[in-house]
Amino acid sequence: MATTHAPLSSGTLCSGYITTPLGQMFAIAGDRGLVLCEYADRPMLPTQLRRIEAICGTMPSPGDHDVLVQTQRELDEYFAGRRETFTIPLVLDGTDFQMRVWRQLLEIPFGTTTSYDAIATRIRRPGGARAVGRANGDNRLAIIVPCHRVINSNGTMSGYGGGKPRKRWLLDHEQRGTQLTLTV
């Protein structure tokens, strides 16, 4: 999966809705890749849109884009159980700390989980589980940057921007009926 964190402002951004079994998602893409893919009913969505506008200096226009088409196709395959990794080009833009956390999220294998503490340790911020949780919450690419795969170190499920029922559904979907395992 290609990622970049160069300025988002180059090129036109297009937006559209993506249909999933967990409800509609709102997505934004440009020629460099997918900028946002978020549950349309997520309370944080307006904040994320303001951040994108501040970064880009403009809001996206509704319209078709090859990256949006690819996103719908790959999410359809994921939900049908035919895809475990995504190849959509991603535009990640955040603080250095957020970028380190998001890159760690991209390393969590399909069907496994890890903890906030384990991510904090891997990015050399032991004791930084809460900060990792905040960076998780700022992830603008739900499912594709798999923040749903992060749970508490005691194995319990924590919050999720799309709601705990969606997180549970995603984890169950990826586990395909096996017991959750915690990777460290």
Side-chain angles (χ1 to χ4, degrees), residues 129-152:
R130 284 180 177 247
V132 168
R134 281 190 298 279
N136 245 21
D138 284 334
N139 171 26
R140 290 187 291 270
L141 298 164
I143 302 172
I144 297 158
V145 175
C147 57
H148 61 277
R149 295 178 187 156
V150 184
I151 61 175
N152 295 319

Side-chain angles (χ1 to χ4, degrees), residues 53-85:
E53 182 178 23
I55 293 166
C56 300
T58 187
M59 288 298 288
S61 300
D64 294 328
H65 194 283
D66 289 344
V67 173
L68 294 176
V69 171
Q70 180 182 359
T71 302
Q72 178 73 67
R73 183 182 69 250
E74 290 193 16
L75 282 170
D76 287 345
E77 293 166 356
Y78 168 85
F79 283 111
R82 296 189 315 266
R83 175 174 291 279
E84 295 183 358
T85 58

Side-chain angles (χ1 to χ4, degrees), residues 63-142:
D64 294 328
H65 194 283
D66 289 344
V67 173
L68 294 176
V69 171
Q70 180 182 359
T71 302
Q72 178 73 67
R73 183 182 69 250
E74 290 193 16
L75 282 170
D76 287 345
E77 293 166 356
Y78 168 85
F79 283 111
R82 296 189 315 266
R83 175 174 291 279
E84 295 183 358
T85 58
F86 296 96
T87 62
I88 304 159
L90 305 177
V91 179
L92 301 174
D93 186 82
T95 66
D96 178 62
F97 180 80
Q98 289 172 325
M99 296 295 292
R100 291 181 9 230
V101 170
W102 297 338
R103 285 187 192 108
Q104 285 297 310
L105 297 177
L106 290 167
E107 298 295 320
I108 305 169
F110 179 92
T112 65
T113 58
T114 192
S115 71
Y116 299 97
D117 286 327
I119 290 175
T121 299
R122 283 196 292 274
I123 64 170
R124 296 189 173 109
R125 285 282 302 268
R130 284 180 177 247
V132 168
R134 281 190 298 279
N136 245 21
D138 284 334
N139 171 26
R140 290 187 291 270
L141 298 164

